[in-house]
Amino acid sequence: MEDIIAACCQFAIKPGDVDANMARVERALSELAQRDCRLAVLPEMWSCSFPYPILSEMAERTPGIVEKLRRIAVENRLVIAGSLPEADSGTIFNTNYVLDSTGEIAAKYRKVHLFSLYGEHLRFGKGEWAGVCSTSLGKIGVMICYDLRFPELARRMALEGAEVICVSALWPEARIKHWSLLLQARAVENQLFVLGCNGCGSEEKITWGGTSAIISPLGTVLSQAGPEEENILGALQAREMEEFRKMIPCFADRAPSVYVSYQHGETSEKS
């Protein structure tokens, strides 16, 4: 991975208003490109939030949105990641699209862990792939919101060569301390950079917590947003990751045979 400036575009998504949200993102990406940003992360379901009664209609707009993002990526030499509703064979997926600076779709990661507390498992199809992709900047892993609570997914991405994990989220203010803690944990335990882009503002009974952050492999908060709309930037220096991995060789010291044999409800004979 080369040294780059990366960013999170935190904003208040207008439910069901694709055009307004698209215009907001276009302005943000243009501004970030002028500040030499090379990687930009958007929130979860950033085109529309979760308007379930019209979710299929929202998903129909996604191909056009992706085409716009491809043009923006090329014009501004940006890699862009953010989740959108994706329709496929009658099923809607919460999908994180990664657009390379070449205009290619580097990945379409479908959310693996659906948040049952909010009924996502009743409305979305479940992904079956750990999202690691090759881009012009290096290997990037992508997650969506609730995925952050599952360390196994992040470790799988790290083992597959991810140097940065981008997390798109709509994480509520009520549990925002968990968000900040987990972003740092995923960065430190996998010795890589983590970019967490959250939404902000309120809709119905939920207030989204903002607090988007860019975390170094050492767990240092390189940049963090407050609770309102804000673009944050941070410098990702590959040397920091390489030196930390040499100093504390966690990957070389792993004991996979111990982990693989464990399943929920089992205990080892020595426990």
Side-chain angles (χ1 to χ4, degrees):
M1 186 185 81
E2 58 184 278
D3 293 349
I4 60 167
I5 301 296
C8 296
C9 307
Q10 176 177 296
F11 70 101
I13 301 166
K14 295 185 177 180
D17 195 338
V18 175
D19 293 331
N21 295 324
M22 185 71 233
R24 174 68 178 81
V25 165
E26 286 186 89
R27 291 194 301 272
L29 294 177
S30 176
E31 174 190 323
L32 291 171
Q34 292 174 21
R35 298 173 69 181
D36 297 322
C37 177
R38 299 290 308 284
L39 171 63
V41 185
L42 305 172
E44 179 180 16
M45 295 286 285
W46 64 264
S47 67
C48 59
S49 189
F50 291 92
Y52 287 129
I54 56 171
L55 194 58
S56 294
E57 180 183 332
M58 297 293 96
E60 290 175 2
R61 299 286 305 274
T62 294
I65 292 170
V66 172
E67 285 305 308
K68 284 187 178 180
L69 287 182
R70 291 176 71 173
R71 291 195 295 272
I72 292 170
V74 172
E75 290 169 2
N76 296 285
R77 297 181 63 244
L78 272 172
V79 175
I80 305 167
S83 99
L84 297 162
E86 176 201 10
D88 186 9
S89 302
T91 300
I92 306 296
F93 295 91
N94 184 345
T95 301
N96 199 322
Y97 287 80
V98 180
L99 289 305
D100 203 354
S101 58
T102 61
E104 297 299 314
I105 299 175
K108 291 198 300 182
Y109 164 75
R110 292 169 172 174
K111 190 174 184 178
V112 169
H113 302 98
L114 301 176
F115 196 41
S116 56
L117 180 64
Y118 287 176
E120 290 183 11
H121 62 301
L122 303 175
R123 298 174 173 91
F124 292 99
K126 185 176 183 179
E128 298 180 347
W129 170 66
V132 177
C133 61
S134 296
T135 72
S136 55
L137 302 177
K139 281 198 170 184
I140 293 174
V142 284
M143 289 185 175
I144 302 173
C145 205
Y146 189 40
D147 287 331
L148 186 62
R149 290 189 180 272
F150 298 85
E152 302 92 339
L153 184 60
R155 176 49 55 93
R156 174 71 180 271
M157 292 177 180
L159 291 173
E160 291 187 7
E163 298 160 303
V164 181
I165 291 179
C166 300
V167 188
S168 296
L170 276 178
W171 197 286
E173 182 184 51
R175 293 180 291 279
I176 204 64
K177 288 184 178 179
H178 295 185
W179 161 257
S180 297
L181 178 63
L182 290 168
L183 288 175
Q184 288 182 284
R186 297 295 88 87
V188 172
E189 68 195 5
N190 294 295
Q191 300 177 307
L192 43 63
F193 294 95
V194 173
L195 280 69
C197 186
N198 197 20
C200 60
S202 299
E203 49 182 284
E204 297 183 354
K205 298 179 180 181
I206 300 176
T207 297
W208 307 118
T211 323
S212 298
I214 300 173
I215 313 294
S216 83
L218 290 167
T220 303
V221 179
L222 301 176
S223 186
Q224 186 174 67
E228 307 297 332
E229 292 193 342
E230 184 177 357
N231 294 331
I232 61 170
L233 295 97
L236 311 190
Q237 298 179 325
R239 185 177 177 183
E240 181 178 3
M241 179 177 66
E242 294 163 1
E243 290 180 348
F244 185 37
R245 288 185 173 187
K246 287 179 181 177
M247 182 176 70
I248 303 179
C250 291
F251 291 95
D253 292 341
R254 292 173 66 248
S257 61
V258 175
Y259 321 141
V260 172
S261 65
Y262 175 82
Q263 293 183 6
H264 181 66
E266 295 181 353
T267 57
S268 69
E269 293 181 1
K270 295 182 180 180
S271 64

